[in-house]
Structures are given as structure tokens and as C-alpha cells.
Amino acid sequence: NSMEIYRGLAAGHCGHEELIDFLNYVFGMNGADSGFYRLLPKLYKPENRPEDYNYVVLEDGKLRAAVGAYPIELEVAGRVLRGAGIGNVAVHPFHRRKGYMKDAMGQAMEAIRQSGADFAALGGQRQRYSYFGFEPAGLCGTFGLNSANLRHALPGAGEGYAARKIGPEDAAALEAIRAMTERQASHPLRPQGKLYDVLNTWESQVCVVDGPQGGIVGYFLAKDGNDVPEIDCAAPEHAAGVLCACYAFLQQERLSLHVPFHAQAMFDLLGDVAERASIESTECYNVLCYERVLRACLELKAQRVPLADGAITFAIQGYAGPERLRVAVSAGKPEVAPTAGGEALILTHRQAMNLFFGPWSPERLRLPAFAAGWFPLSLFVPEVDND
């Protein structure tokens, strides 16, 4: 048998319908009431040409495996980080255990590395993707909210606030959502023409909240009845009203809400009133340029948390190559720069990922006290942007 790897239609070897039919088959969807067009319109609609972003394995000319690598951009503390979201990792069920997933993933990751991307992200079994440099990160608050929380902690806060579902034609509402998103110190750069499709990922309901004086003062996404992957407000004084309107609209006794640390108003409110709260890693990430990502994420953290002064050098055996970086904080202001000399803390890529961005790291416990408080950092891609 002959086996070849190509980058999709760019090489003329995988058409759109062939790819979509293959993916729907592998993931057990019929393409009508379930399928990639419905679940992920932002990527798989014909006009988005997903075939151009897929690395495919052909065996005797037939499609046997595919891995998609789709561009993501994050603006973090005013700095734009370029990334790639890995999706639709698929191998034909009759052709597994031939190494095809490894071949396609390897090809995709090499292309991402060569493109100069700062990071990659995906969802999936940890050890499976650890081979390709991915580790749990994307720390985010998950809050459990019930009616008693609102009744006792926020009585009357929802008065005058009302949520409504919007569609792709609601240009003013979508523009209001964009403005709220871009107000955050860390946010994805969502293409103008694809905004509704991005928000509608995984068939999420897209809802806005009107305030007592009129005008849109908040928004949220909702899926699976009681799961709220994204919620935000236009100003801190609207946080409680938006939260109450979200709860009233969804008509569920318990909600699970996901809010990143930098969405300060909503995070602090939920931390104060929610029944339960946890900080969780949301996806697996692979940082390809520690210098740029550390610089942006440390500046983000410094906006909310006082950082102790000090300096330490890290020698990182990175997935995309070695990096030797001096990380310093002076008068609360962080700096990250390459350095050639001096004593350094040596970290494997896996150790570095967990120390800088993960929920748990033995190496972090051994840092000097001034540096231990710098980490972990929030490298966070919202759920609807990452798949």
C-alpha cells in the first residue's frame, strides 16, 4: 500500500465534500440533524474552506486520516498572539493502529511551528497529545449557581434586566457583543463576518441582556440547557443584573458558568455569590514561543495582581526549540528578554508548560518566593474559539 500526507485541497488531493463526509462518518454523525456544518459553522461551511487547513493521509488514493489546524488570534494586554486550534483529529475506523494520526499530527505541528505561531490549543486525552507538546492549561473559573444564591445574595438585582436570544441578522446586538469582548484585557480577535458563527459553536444559544435604561448591557452563550461557556457585562455595575437575567432566561435550577480571571466584574461577582467555585484547566496548550507568550501573559497578570520584584533565568527545552529567558519584575512591571549567560533554572518543555500555565507544578513550589507568585499565568482561549 502507498501512503501519502498532503495539506488538503492546496495539494489538490482532498475536496470539500470528501472531507466533510469523512469527518461526519468518523465522528458518527449523519450530516443532516447532526454534523460539522451544524456544530462548527465557523470552520466547516463550504465558504470557509476547511479542506485548506487539513493535513490528510491518503492510502492508495483514499482518505484515511485528517487533522485540522485552524488559525486563532488572541490580544493579550495589547499584544497579539498568533495560534492554531487543532480540531477534527480523525482516522478511519478500519485503518487505525497504522500510525496515521501520528503522521497527520506531526505534519500539522511542523507546519504550525514553521509558520512562527506562538501557541497551539486543542481538546483531547492528555497523554495522547502530550507526545506533541500539549499540556493542560487555559485556567478558567467554573461557578455553580442556584436560585438560593440569587435570592439571598442578590435580591432584586435583576429588576429591569431582560435577556433575549439573537440570530445572525442582529447586527447591532453582535456589534455590542464585540465591544464587550474587546473591552477585556485578553480576548480573541474574531473575524467580523464570522462573529455569529463563532458564538454559535456547538449550537450555543447567543443571548444579549437589555438594561433598565434600554440598550444592551451584557451577553451570554448557553448550551446543553444549563451550561454557560461565556458571560460578560458592559460595565461592572451591570454584572449582577446580567447574571440574574441569564438565570431567569434559562429557567434551570442550577447553572454552570465559565469565566476567565481577567473578566474581572463577573469573576468577582460569581466568586462572591456562587454555591461552588473552582479554577480548572479548560484545554491542552502547546507554547511554541515562550518569550512572546510569557511577556503578554505576565503583563496581563500585572494588571490585576501585584507582582513581587525580582529576576530569574529559565533555560527551556521548548517543543519548538530551546529558549533561555530572563524574567524580571521591577517596580511591579514585568520584563521578559533572551539572555545568554548566568545561572538558569533548566526546564523541559513539559515542566515549563506546567510551571508557567498549568494548575499544578512541583517545579513552581521550588521557585524563590518572589517568583512563585508570578505563576500560573492565564493563557486562555474561549471555548467557542478553540475548536
Side-chain angles (χ1 to χ4, degrees), residues 74-81 185-187 293 295-301 303 378-380:
L74 276 182
E75 187 174 308
V76 181
R79 299 180 184 274
V80 175
L81 299 178
S186 173
H187 60 267
V293 174
R295 183 179 293 123
C297 290
L298 272 165
E299 289 174 356
L300 175 69
K301 187 156 190 172
Q303 291 182 12
S378 179
L379 173 63
F380 177 78

Side-chain angles (χ1 to χ4, degrees), residues 24-289:
N24 282 335
Y25 169 69
V26 171
F27 287 95
M29 296 185 284
N30 63 21
D33 57 305
S34 64
F36 276 80
Y37 287 162
R38 287 186 60 147
L39 293 178
L40 293 152
K42 64 173 183 176
L43 298 180
Y44 295 98
K45 278 183 175 178
E47 60 265 34
N48 294 331
R49 297 179 63 88
E51 57 275 18
D52 287 354
Y53 301 97
N54 265 262
Y55 298 83
V56 299
V57 174
L58 304 182
E59 183 184 86
D60 295 334
K62 294 184 171 62
L63 183 55
R64 298 303 186 213
V67 170
Y70 303 97
I72 302 170
E73 284 191 323
L74 276 182
E75 187 174 308
V76 181
R79 299 180 184 274
V80 175
L81 299 178
R82 292 173 48 244
I86 300 289
N88 66 247
V89 178
V91 180
H92 193 290
F94 297 162
H95 296 273
R96 290 177 179 157
R97 292 179 167 64
K98 295 182 178 180
Y100 289 170
M101 175 267 195
K102 183 179 178 182
D103 293 332
M105 271 295 295
Q107 183 93 345
M109 289 307 299
E110 179 59 19
I112 292 167
R113 189 185 68 79
Q114 289 189 9
S115 76
D118 297 309
F119 70 94
L122 55 72
Q125 203 279 324
R126 180 180 185 177
Q127 278 75 27
R128 185 185 197 196
Y129 293 104
S130 183
Y131 292 108
F132 304 96
F134 290 88
E135 293 295 333
L139 298 181
C140 178
T142 296
F143 299 93
L145 188 74
N146 61 42
S147 59
N149 303 144
L150 298 182
R151 188 169 65 252
H152 292 291
L154 300 174
E159 195 171 326
Y161 291 85
R164 57 187 166 92
K165 185 177 176 180
I166 67 163
E169 71 287 348
D170 291 314
L174 289 168
E175 193 49 46
I177 291 174
R178 175 185 296 285
M180 281 182 268
T181 304
E182 294 186 352
R183 186 178 58 84
Q184 295 296 352
S186 173
H187 60 267
L189 299 179
R190 293 165 170 166
Q192 180 74 40
K194 287 188 185 180
L195 182 55
Y196 182 82
D197 284 348
V198 170
L199 299 171
N200 187 226
T201 291
W202 304 121
E203 298 187 280
S204 297
Q205 295 185 77
V206 185
C207 302
V208 294
V209 176
D210 297 311
Q213 311 303 319
I216 294 169
V217 296
Y219 82 96
F220 59 91
L221 308 180
K223 64 185 181 70
D224 303 328
N226 69 343
D227 191 50
V228 180
E230 201 164 311
I231 183 169
D232 202 4
C233 53
E237 60 266 25
H238 294 300
V242 169
L243 185 63
C244 291
C246 170
Y247 188 89
F249 179 84
L250 294 176
Q251 297 188 317
Q252 301 282 327
E253 169 56 24
R254 292 177 177 82
L255 297 185
S256 180
L257 305 104
H258 309 278
V259 182
F261 192 55
H262 50 263
Q264 188 168 336
M266 199 60 72
F267 190 100
D268 290 353
L269 174 66
L270 281 162
D272 199 38
V273 307
E275 186 69 22
R276 57 178 177 79
S278 61
I279 305 294
E280 299 177 347
S281 52
T282 52
E283 302 274 9
C284 291
Y285 289 72
N286 181 350
V287 168
L288 303 168
C289 179

Side-chain angles (χ1 to χ4, degrees), residues 350-381:
R350 187 160 182 259
Q351 288 172 333
M353 286 298 303
N354 291 319
L355 187 155
F356 298 139
F357 309 105
W360 171 250
S361 162
E363 286 72 31
R364 198 153 63 220
L365 298 179
R366 295 194 281 273
L367 289 175
F370 67 82
W374 298 348
F375 309 109
L377 299 172
S378 179
L379 173 63
F380 177 78
V381 178

